[in-house]
Amino acid sequence: MKLKLAIGADHAGFRLKEAVKKHLDKRGIEYKDFGTYSEESCDYPDIARDVAIAVKNGEFDFGILICGTGIGISIAANKIKGIRAALCHDTFSAKAARAHNNANILAMGARVIGEGLACEIVDSFLSAQFEGGRHQRRVDKIHEIENMQD
Ligand SMILES: O=C(CO)[C@H](O)[C@H](O)COP(=O)(O)O
């Protein structure tokens, strides 16, 4: 399957976003860059919203979001129904985020990890498969909680 990703970052994540894009280019993975496009200060919820909505609408297979810590941008993305954004700073968690949680967005903190590890985390996330079974039941319960709040 040819993957299509949505990628975005705030000013703190801008440089790491560029490094991840270079890595995706090398791997021949298609993506759309939702910004930001410089290190000028901006607000991570704006980027999180645009990427999360595009992923939720099925325009992209997965999203990658980066801010300073990865915390704010993942919190914001998770406000969009149907989004399961996972903040990962190690390859084990990135693999489990797909295998167990069926995460559809990977979040990382550019002030926490370096470029090499970030690219390995992206690879682990993208190569893992959702295992379903008992994990599907749990993901369904997450969405039941989401729907309780209508
Ligand atoms: O990590 C973040 C949110 O979780 C932001 O990138 C961080 O808060 C931005 O901080 P500043 O405006 O001081 O550069």
Side-chain angles (χ1 to χ4, degrees):
M1 183 183 76
K2 201 164 161 34
L3 288 176
K4 209 170 155 201
L5 308 183
I7 187 166
D10 73 352
H11 57 285
F14 169 74
R15 277 184 198 217
L16 184 57
K17 171 168 68 66
E18 297 310 296
V20 169
K21 279 166 56 184
K22 228 182 248 176
H23 180 68
L24 295 174
D25 288 337
K26 269 194 216 148
R27 289 197 51 194
I29 296 173
E30 201 182 322
Y31 58 83
K32 178 175 172 181
D33 184 353
F34 283 78
T36 187
Y37 305 110
S38 76
E39 290 186 281
E40 192 180 322
S41 183
C42 67
D43 299 333
Y44 59 81
D46 297 333
I47 306 291
R49 178 198 59 225
D50 293 350
V51 167
I53 287 172
V55 170
K56 182 223 167 101
N57 288 344
E59 295 167 50
F60 301 91
D61 298 294
F62 300 111
I64 298 176
L65 285 170
I66 306 169
C67 66
T69 60
I71 297 170
I73 211 157
S74 55
I75 291 174
N78 277 317
K79 297 296 176 193
I80 300 294
K81 265 190 167 191
I83 288 302
R84 295 172 302 279
L87 172 57
C88 300
H89 288 138
D90 64 88
T91 56
F92 175 81
S93 300
K95 190 176 167 202
R98 290 282 312 117
H100 288 208
N101 312 114
N102 202 13
N104 46 16
I105 292 186
L106 168 67
M108 297 183 288
R111 293 174 180 166
V112 182
I113 53 169
E115 292 179 5
L117 178 55
C119 293
E120 282 184 26
I121 288 169
V122 167
D123 289 346
S124 296
F125 184 85
L126 295 180
S127 62
Q129 300 285 327
F130 181 50
E131 290 173 5
R134 67 189 187 283
H135 303 300
Q136 182 63 62
R137 184 178 70 241
R138 293 158 188 168
V139 170
D140 289 345
K141 287 188 176 187
I142 292 173
H143 291 292
E144 277 172 32
I145 295 169
E146 211 169 50
N147 290 327
M148 279 166 57
Q149 290 163 68
D150 283 339

